[in-house]
Structure formats: C-alpha cells, structure tokens
Amino acid sequence: MSQEAPGRVAVVTGGASGIGLGVVRHLRAAGHQVAALDLQDDALAAAAADLDVLTAQVDVSDRTAVDAAMDRVRSELGPISIIVTSAGIDGNKPFAEISADDWERTLRVNLTGTFNAVQSAVPDLVAGGWGRIITISSSSAQQGAGNRAHYIASKGGVIALTKALSYEYAPLGITANTIPPSIIDTPMSRDSPEMGAHLDAVAGMTPVRRLGTPDDIGAAAAFLASDAAGFITGQQINVNGGWYM
Ligand code: NAP
C-alpha cells in the first residue's frame, strides 16, 4: 500500500461557495494546503476563517488576475499539484432568447475560465511530475436539457477539454477527470428560476431520493486528487444519485 503524500498544494476556483466550498473542505480534511479563488469576497473571508485556506478574489475569466493569483499561491504555499475548477455561472433561457452577450459571457466564465485556471497552474504540475486536474462540468451536458443551451454548451466544452488534457498530460504523471454533477443543493440551484422551486420534487425523482450535496462532490474530488486514483484519467465521474439532468 502506498502512503498518501501529505500536504500537497491545491487550488479550487469557485471555492467560496457551494460545490467548490465542499471540495475545499474535503481537500483540507485530506491534509492538503488549499487556496480558494472566487468572486465573492465575504464568502472567501468566511472560508479563510473556518478552514484556514489562502483566498484570492479573482474573476476566472480574467487571465491576468488568474495568473497573479497562482503566483501568490506559489509564493505563499509552494508549487501547485492539484487544480479543481468549480467557478461557474448558470444560464436559464430558451435557445431563441439567448443573446450574443449571454452566450459569450457563459462561455467566457465556464469554459475559458476553466482553461485559464488549468493552463496557469499546469506548469507546476508538470515540474513536479505529479498532478491532478479535476473539472466540474454538468450532467446536463451528458444528457441535454431545455432552456440552457449556452450553459450546456459551455459544460460540454469542459468535458471535452478535460478529455483532451488527459491524453496530453497522462505521460507526465498528471490525471485529468471531470465530475458532472446532477442537481446539487447549493446557492446556484436554489436561485435557479427553473429548478429553485422544485428541488423537493427533484429529490423525489432521484433514485437515491435526495438532492446531492457539496460534500458528495467534495468527497469524490478528494478521492480523484489522491494517490489512489492515479490510474483514473480522462473519465466523467458521475456523482448524480443515479439521475441525469
Ligand atoms: P455556487 O454556489 O454559485 O458557487 C459558484 C461560485 O463561483 C460562486 O461563489 C460564484 O460567485 C463563483 N463565480 C462565478 N463566476 C465566477 C468568476 N467569473 N470567477 C470566479 N468565481 C466565480 O454554484 P455551485 O452550484 O456550487 O456550482 C459550482 C459549479 O458546479 C459550477 O460550475 C456549476 O455550473 C456546476 N454545477 C452545479 C450544479 C448544481 O446543481 N448546483 C449542477 C451541475 C454543475 P458568484 O456567486 O458571485 O457568482
């Protein structure tokens, strides 16, 4: 049995809220040092106080800001080994009503934001000869759903990007996997105009008869970030209670 190397450095985008915060909790519990990058300043401050994590207020679609945050992580915590991308925005509109701005903004945050964070961190993973890239996509991109074509296209891009990275980086000791959650009980799903009022019904239709939680995703991400998951790459790790949406 190999021993888990303690205290690797992990960066989690969207780490102040919902799924990202669940991932931060589980990576901290696994003994890693964690930096949480997010737009939400107050929530970042709360995470820093509760979980002893480095925080940086960053828009992941702003490459200069992302690069500056990664440099801060390197100088304060050391080389990055684990990058988890959870920062994202929702989208709820019929296809015919999606404006060019809606489309561009959703792709810029969800897909380009993932590209920015991973590309900015990955030189450390390569230099260390060990790394974990974990993206948060969406089961809606596996199954399709109405009234969210821009969101679903962005998350389909995240799945495809992750698969591409798995091929390129596997020979260098770096795995790349995506977790496509179904409905998880977070501020995003509670605020959703389509889903927010129907979460109890969603829970009832889910085979496990409950909504997913940020801890469900955090536990899976912590496993993917571990030494034990070194032979898993290029995969969509479905954490969805048996339900695709
Ligand atoms: P959440 O609670 O809203 O958390 C997302 C965090 O990312 C928020 O703190 C948000 O800040 C931040 N963020 C948004 N845009 C950002 C940007 N440009 N730069 C940096 N941070 C930014 O949502 P969640 O439910 O945990 O979602 C996390 C990820 O899971 C998202 O990518 C989402 O698409 C995906 N997902 C969620 C579900 C679900 O049911 N909840 C299902 C499938 C996939 P603001 O609040 O200020 O925007």
Side-chain angles (χ1 to χ4, degrees):
M1 249 343 205
S2 70
Q3 286 283 310
E4 180 76 16
R8 290 189 163 113
V9 174
V11 173
V12 182
T13 73
S17 176
I19 288 170
L21 184 55
V23 173
V24 170
R25 274 199 298 273
H26 281 262
L27 291 176
R28 286 294 294 137
H32 301 299
Q33 300 184 76
V34 180
L37 277 48
D38 204 291
L39 280 179
Q40 292 198 41
D41 206 18
D42 289 349
L44 280 172
D50 291 349
L51 295 164
D52 188 23
V53 294
L54 180 69
T55 61
Q57 191 183 18
V58 172
D59 178 346
V60 293
S61 69
D62 177 346
R63 180 54 184 265
T64 305
V66 170
D67 286 345
M70 295 296 178
D71 281 346
R72 212 184 121 211
V73 174
R74 287 181 187 104
S75 72
E76 295 190 29
L77 300 181
I80 300 157
S81 296
I82 300 162
I83 173 74
V84 184
T85 59
S86 187
I89 54 174
D90 205 2
N92 292 277
K93 274 187 185 176
F95 178 67
E97 293 173 18
I98 295 169
S99 68
D101 280 353
D102 293 333
W103 175 266
E104 198 277 330
R105 178 164 174 267
T106 306
L107 271 286
R108 182 158 36 91
V109 174
N110 292 356
L111 182 54
T112 306
T114 301
F115 165 81
N116 285 341
V118 174
Q119 198 186 52
S120 187
V122 83
D124 287 15
L125 283 60
V126 172
W130 190 99
R132 299 285 186 262
I133 298 166
I134 302 162
T135 62
I136 305 298
S137 48
S138 171
S139 64
S140 63
Q142 299 173 299
Q143 176 73 12
N147 300 327
R148 351 184 41 206
H150 48 340
Y151 176 81
I152 290 172
S154 73
K155 293 298 185 174
V158 169
I159 292 172
L161 171 63
T162 310
K163 284 179 171 287
L165 295 175
S166 73
Y167 271 83
E168 203 163 323
Y169 287 106
L172 305 178
I174 298 164
T175 66
N177 294 288
T178 192
I179 299 175
S182 57
I183 304 298
I184 308 298
D185 191 355
T186 70
M188 181 185 281
S189 53
R190 296 225 160 244
D191 292 346
S192 162
E194 293 226 321
M195 276 297 158
H198 307 294
L199 292 182
D200 287 345
V202 170
M205 287 186 292
T206 302
V208 301
R209 297 290 186 269
R210 67 171 175 84
L211 293 176
T213 66
D215 283 326
D216 290 320
I217 308 299
F223 172 68
L224 289 172
S226 71
D227 284 328
F231 203 57
I232 302 172
T233 196
Q235 302 305 306
Q236 300 167 57
I237 306 296
N238 299 326
V239 184
N240 59 21
W243 194 63
Y244 290 81
M245 168 63 196

